Structures are given as C-alpha cells and as structure tokens.
Amino acid sequence: MNTAVTAFLAALEHPHRAQIGELRAVILAADPAIREEVKWNAPSFRLADHFATFKLRPESTFQVVLHTGAKVRAEPLVMHIDDPAGLLAWVAPDRAVLTLRDQDAVAAYAEAVQGIVRQWIAQLPAAPADDLPRVGAPARRALATAGITTLADLAPRTEKEVAGLHGLGPKALGLLREALRERGLAFSDERDSG
C-alpha cells in the first residue's frame, strides 16, 4: 500500500473512513499490478493510467468512479461489465460510479467489487512495458541510459548503484523504492541483507 495514500486516509475526516480503507484493500487485492496514489484529492488506482478514483462527496455513501484515464479519448471506450449485484450507475459508456451505502457493504460485496474491477481493467488498453513510476525527466533519462526501463530491470541493481546515476535524486529514488515494494520487489542489496 502506498504510504501517501495511507497518510491521506489517516487525515481524512469522513464518516465512512474505515470502510473507504477496507474498500481500498479490496480493490488493490483484485490484481497485483494495481498501484495507487493520491490524485484529484482522493485515493486513485492505476495501471498504465488511472482507472478508478474514490469520490468522497457526498459523505452519506462511499463511492468509486471507474473511468478510462485522466485524458478524454477521441473515441471513448465502451465498457461492458457484468454487475449482478447492481453496484454500478453508468454516467457515460466509459464511466460508472460504484456506490456502497452501509457499514457492512464492503464485506458483503468484496467479491462483486473485485469482479467488477477485474472486468474493468481487462477492457483497458494494454499497459506499456514501462512500469516505472513517474519520475522527473533527468531521472528517467538516467535510468534509460543505464538500461532500466521496467521494475524488472531495476530489481537486480543495488540501491547504491541506482542512487549514483547522474540525474537521479533522493525523491526519485524514494519513488523507485516504493514502486518496487508495491510489486513485492526490492533492490538486490535489500534482498541480500534481509
């Protein structure tokens, strides 16, 4: 779980904060490739692009907006989701709002929510091979020059080796470390010392 999202939720004043945290865990468990961050002032989930974002208002419910990315597409995707529990309200062919209303809804609908999320991401365009987190242009150039374009390329390297790349600062290194951790990976020296 992303530490920035955890901190955001810890500070969130919302009557359904506990359920939002539970729903977050359900969504993340739907697929190990899902990453999260705070975007649009709410927890948001992404693969190559964002596809689901919590809608924190109104506070009478807890909702997740399922969408097809941050940018409007010239030709919107038309999503087809099997939703026997009736959790989705469609606002466009490529946008639906998943709504849960009561305290026990997350536990009651966890499997249904994961099924919806899996169907949704299966219809998104394929992710590019580059699964590195968003870092600044100098850091990205430094990684590319070193032959690192994916987390799989990064994991065999030591943290010291990567930190020594010209153009890669502490912030980028922290983002890389967090991305590895979210995928169950680590720099080689961290695995050797653990």
Side-chain angles (χ1 to χ4, degrees):
M1 291 188 164
N2 181 289
T3 55
V5 175
T6 300
F8 177 90
L9 289 175
L12 180 66
E13 292 186 25
H14 194 287
H16 295 292
R17 181 175 66 182
Q19 289 76 27
I20 290 168
E22 292 170 16
L23 186 54
R24 169 195 183 199
V26 167
I27 292 169
L28 289 171
D31 189 298
I34 296 173
R35 291 182 280 171
E36 63 176 352
E37 59 190 52
V38 177
K39 188 165 180 75
W40 302 297
N41 201 30
S44 188
F45 304 90
R46 64 189 299 266
L47 296 170
D49 198 0
H50 291 267
F51 69 87
T53 305
F54 272 99
K55 182 175 182 254
L56 300 175
R57 303 291 180 262
E59 293 183 349
S60 58
T61 62
F62 42 111
Q63 300 177 311
V64 175
V65 178
L66 296 165
H67 51 85
T68 58
K71 296 179 183 174
V72 176
R73 297 174 181 274
E75 290 190 35
L77 297 174
V78 177
M79 307 299 272
H80 301 282
I81 305 297
D82 183 28
D83 176 25
L87 300 177
L88 297 178
W90 290 89
V91 294
D94 63 348
R95 191 177 208 71
V97 179
L98 185 149
T99 302
L100 299 175
R101 299 187 189 288
D102 64 56
Q103 303 293 336
D104 301 320
V106 177
Y109 292 109
E111 284 186 39
V113 168
Q114 287 187 340
I116 288 169
V117 169
R118 288 183 186 118
Q119 290 176 73
W120 195 272
I121 63 178
Q123 295 175 58
L124 295 173
D130 175 359
D131 61 352
L132 292 174
R134 293 181 183 160
V135 295
R140 189 162 284 277
R141 281 192 299 272
L143 292 166
T145 300
I148 301 170
T149 59
T150 66
L151 291 176
D153 296 335
L154 183 63
R157 311 292 181 106
T158 67
E159 185 171 347
K160 183 177 179 180
E161 174 187 0
V162 174
L165 296 174
H166 180 70
L168 199 131
K171 181 178 178 182
L173 188 63
L175 291 170
L176 294 171
R177 188 181 312 110
E178 179 75 14
L180 285 169
R181 189 183 62 74
E182 286 178 3
R183 292 284 181 93
L185 301 170
F187 288 111
S188 66
D189 51 337
E190 291 178 355
R191 290 191 312 272
D192 295 343
S193 65

